[in-house]
Amino acid sequence: GQQVMQIPQYQHVQEGEDFTTYCNSSTTLSNIQWYKQRPGGHPVFLIQLVKSGEVKKQKRLTFQFGEAKKNSSLHITATQTTDVGTYFCAGLLLGGNTGKLIFGQGTTLQVKP
Amino acid sequence: DTEVTQTPKHLVMGMTNKKSLKCEQHMGHRAMYWYKQKAKKPPELMFVYSYEKLSINESVPSRFSPECPNSSLLNLHLHALQPEDSALYLCAVKRAGTEPGELFFGEGSRLTVL
């Protein structure tokens, strides 16, 4: 079936180091979204990428969507302890009149102060 | 602050019990979702309602019964659950249609089946 793979599963960094998580789909995606889930919390939307090759930035976070619209990445520059959580990519597959969002396995980020 | 409210926040039930999870939204979004999330796993899609009609059922066992009484409410009725059904159940809403758009999640209902 259609899958969205995400690596790494876990990442431990020292505060101030950079962090990157990668997402790959077996099929071309309509768009890709990124969510952050803090420990004990619920997923919160970060950003959506729609166009092939798109790059978006939010302060220290940089999001990229591949040219083939099958892969994406999230890069955090100079991590802070507030960045701790699990980052999920989610690819939108069109189905009927409502898109079906498939989540990657997530990357859990731990930041040591 | 969340605009998608789920109740109860925690629920413990026996395998013979009947209970319901409720989700309420006032965002006016017409696509409503139930996701199930096990510990250290991603949200797993269960059901999608579009304009109050069930549009996607991801082959969920019949012991889970969704209901969308109106555009603001989404219920998940639970009956004869198994311990492996213990999980965080998340409701989410989105603008209906094929245009991309973010999912707004509620805080979830954490279910324990004994």
Side-chain angles (χ1 to χ4, degrees), chain A residues 20-23 34 49 62-66 71-75:
Chain A
T20 304
T21 173
Y22 301 90
C23 190
W34 286 91
L49 303 170
T62 301
F63 304 84
Q64 293 187 323
F65 200 11
N71 58 75
S72 182
S73 65
L74 158 58
H75 180 81

Side-chain angles (χ1 to χ4, degrees), chain B residues 5-20:
Chain B
T5 303
Q6 289 188 244
T7 56
K9 290 195 187 313
H10 298 275
L11 177 63
V12 179
M13 61 185 290
M15 290 189 285
T16 58
N17 291 159
K18 282 185 180 181
K19 297 286 184 183
S20 296

Side-chain angles (χ1 to χ4, degrees), chain A residues 44-84:
Chain A
V44 174
F45 176 83
L46 293 177
I47 208 157
Q48 175 173 272
L49 303 170
V50 179
K51 298 177 184 175
S52 169
E54 189 169 14
V55 178
K56 286 189 176 180
K57 292 190 176 185
Q58 286 180 350
K59 297 182 180 178
R60 295 178 294 104
L61 278 60
T62 301
F63 304 84
Q64 293 187 323
F65 200 11
E67 293 290 340
K69 299 183 75 173
K70 286 187 173 183
N71 58 75
S72 182
S73 65
L74 158 58
H75 180 81
I76 302 178
T77 304
T79 54
Q80 300 175 0
T81 54
T82 53
D83 295 325
V84 164

Side-chain angles (χ1 to χ4, degrees), chain B residues 1 9 19 29 31 38 46 53-54 67 72 74 79 91 95 100 102-103 108:
Chain B
D1 287 344
K9 290 195 187 313
K19 297 286 184 183
H29 291 343
K38 302 281 273 185
M46 299 176 73
K53 291 186 179 178
L54 185 65
E67 179 195 19
S72 299
L74 185 67
H79 174 54
C91 171
R95 287 191 194 88
E102 69 179 278
L103 281 176

Side-chain angles (χ1 to χ4, degrees), chain B residues 32-46:
Chain B
M32 300 182 76
Y33 300 70
W34 280 114
Y35 279 89
K36 173 183 177 180
Q37 187 176 29
K38 302 281 273 185
K40 302 187 187 302
K41 295 292 185 184
E44 180 184 340
L45 183 63
M46 299 176 73

Side-chain angles (χ1 to χ4, degrees), chain B residues 22-65:
Chain B
K22 296 184 185 300
C23 175
E24 185 171 6
Q25 63 117 350
H26 297 288
M27 302 182 72
H29 291 343
R30 303 301 291 275
M32 300 182 76
Y33 300 70
W34 280 114
Y35 279 89
K36 173 183 177 180
Q37 187 176 29
K38 302 281 273 185
K40 302 187 187 302
K41 295 292 185 184
E44 180 184 340
L45 183 63
M46 299 176 73
F47 302 104
V48 181
Y49 274 83
S50 179
Y51 294 97
E52 294 84 70
K53 291 186 179 178
L54 185 65
S55 62
I56 296 176
N57 176 341
E58 289 290 286
S59 303
V60 179
S62 59
R63 58 185 184 270
F64 295 91
S65 176

